[in-house]
Amino acid sequence: MSASAGHGSQTVESARRALAARLKAAGSDADELDARLLVGAALGLDLTGMVTGAKRTLTPDESDRLESLAVRRLAGEPVARILGSKEFWGLPLQLSAATLVPRPDTETVVERALELLRADGTAGRALRIADLGTGSGAILLALLSELPNALGFATDISAEALQTAGRNAAELGLADRATWIKCDYGSGLTGAFDLIVSNPPYIPSADIAGLDIEVREHDPRAALDGGADGLDAYRALISQSAGLLASNGLLVVEVGQGQSGDVEALMTASGLSPTGPPRADLGGVPRAVSARRLPR
C-alpha cells in the first residue's frame, strides 16, 4: 500500500482507523495500538483526548505530521523509536540512538532479582547494585524503584547511553541513588556488590542480518552483537562479576534462546553457584539466568 495515501478531511477517529488499516495491510501485528500511539503523538493527545475529540477534523498540519510518522512506521521504524520513549516496568523511559528499546522479556531479569532478594530477606537493606551495559537504565531504574534503600551503579561504553540513562533517573526521581560509569561491563567498578544484573549483547554476529528490520536497522549494533557464538559478553562480565560480588551476592543476566545452559556453565566455571532453573519469559523461553557467590 502506498505510504502517501491521501488524507482528505479526516476526523481523529477516521485517521486512526485508516492508519491501523494501512499498518495491518503492511503486516503489523500491533496495528491498532501503533495507530493509536502515532495519532496521539501527532496530535498531542492522550487516550482520553482521542476519545473525547474523536469527531474533530484534523488540520492540514496535523495530517502532515501524522503522515510523516506513518511513513516512518511503514518503513519499519519501531513506534518506540518514533516516539523517543518506551515504558518498562511501568516506568516511562527516554531512548536515544545509543540505547536498545527495552523489551518485556527483560523484565524477567528484574522479576528474578527481586524474587531472590525477597527470598533472602535482604530486599529492604542498603544493597549495592551494579547494572553492566545499562543502555537506557531500564533494569537498574526498575530495581531502584522497588528497592528504596538500594544504591545503583551502572556502566556502559557509550557516553550517550549513560546520558540518556541519567536523564531517565532524574525524571523518575532516582538520580540521587544512581551513579553512571563509562567502562566496559564491570571493568571500571570496585567494591563488593550484593546484586549484579545485565542484559548484554547476545546475538551471534552471523544472525544479525536475519533479524527483524525493527531490530536490525534501528537498535545499536554494539548492543546486539555477541560475537561468533553470542557468548563474548558473558565471558567478560561473568568473570568480572565473580570478583565484584559480595559473599552471597547475586548475578542475574538475560540470555538468548538456547543460551541458558552455556551461560550457567560459564557461571559455574567462574566459581558461582546457579540458583535454580532460569526464569522463563512470557513466551516460555528461559530468559533470566542467575547465580550466587557462595561464602568462601
Side-chain angles (χ1 to χ4, degrees), residues 131-237:
D131 180 8
L132 309 184
T134 193
S136 64
I139 298 175
L140 182 68
L141 296 174
L143 288 166
L144 292 180
S145 76
E146 296 283 349
L147 303 167
N149 297 317
L151 294 177
F153 301 81
T155 72
D156 208 287
I157 55 171
S158 165
E160 184 184 354
L162 292 172
Q163 290 168 356
T164 303
R167 284 196 299 272
N168 285 327
E171 289 287 330
L172 296 169
L174 298 170
D176 60 335
R177 292 195 284 131
T179 301
W180 313 100
I181 300 132
K182 187 176 185 295
C183 68
D184 197 22
Y185 301 116
S187 63
L189 297 177
T190 56
F193 291 89
D194 304 290
L195 170 65
I196 297 177
V197 291
S198 184
N199 173 23
Y202 55 69
I203 309 295
S205 304
D207 293 353
I208 290 178
L211 295 175
D212 186 274
I213 188 173
E214 295 191 14
V215 177
R216 183 181 76 238
E217 298 294 333
H218 296 283
D219 275 338
R221 186 176 178 112
L224 299 173
D225 194 337
D229 62 358
L231 300 175
D232 282 1
Y234 299 106
R235 292 188 183 94
L237 75 87

Side-chain angles (χ1 to χ4, degrees), residues 67-276:
E67 184 59 23
S68 70
L69 299 186
V71 168
R72 290 169 66 184
R73 182 68 191 105
L74 288 163
E77 187 173 351
V79 169
R81 291 273 177 220
I82 296 171
L83 303 182
S85 65
K86 176 75 172 180
E87 191 172 279
F88 179 85
W89 201 259
L91 307 173
L93 299 176
Q94 299 301 305
L95 306 177
S96 67
T99 66
L100 285 175
V101 175
R103 292 175 173 79
D105 292 345
T106 303
E107 294 188 352
T108 312
V109 173
V110 180
E111 292 165 356
R112 183 65 170 150
L114 292 173
E115 174 185 46
L116 291 167
L117 292 173
R118 287 165 180 160
D120 288 348
T122 58
R125 296 186 189 167
L127 302 171
R128 281 168 52 90
I129 301 172
D131 180 8
L132 309 184
T134 193
S136 64
I139 298 175
L140 182 68
L141 296 174
L143 288 166
L144 292 180
S145 76
E146 296 283 349
L147 303 167
N149 297 317
L151 294 177
F153 301 81
T155 72
D156 208 287
I157 55 171
S158 165
E160 184 184 354
L162 292 172
Q163 290 168 356
T164 303
R167 284 196 299 272
N168 285 327
E171 289 287 330
L172 296 169
L174 298 170
D176 60 335
R177 292 195 284 131
T179 301
W180 313 100
I181 300 132
K182 187 176 185 295
C183 68
D184 197 22
Y185 301 116
S187 63
L189 297 177
T190 56
F193 291 89
D194 304 290
L195 170 65
I196 297 177
V197 291
S198 184
N199 173 23
Y202 55 69
I203 309 295
S205 304
D207 293 353
I208 290 178
L211 295 175
D212 186 274
I213 188 173
E214 295 191 14
V215 177
R216 183 181 76 238
E217 298 294 333
H218 296 283
D219 275 338
R221 186 176 178 112
L224 299 173
D225 194 337
D229 62 358
L231 300 175
D232 282 1
Y234 299 106
R235 292 188 183 94
L237 75 87
I238 289 172
S239 61
Q240 291 170 352
S241 297
L244 290 167
L245 284 170
S247 182
N248 280 319
L250 295 161
L251 172 64
V252 186
V253 299
E254 178 172 334
V255 301
Q257 190 157 4
Q259 292 177 326
S260 60
D262 289 332
V263 171
E264 282 188 346
L266 289 169
M267 290 175 166
T268 302
S270 288
L272 302 176
S273 177
T275 58

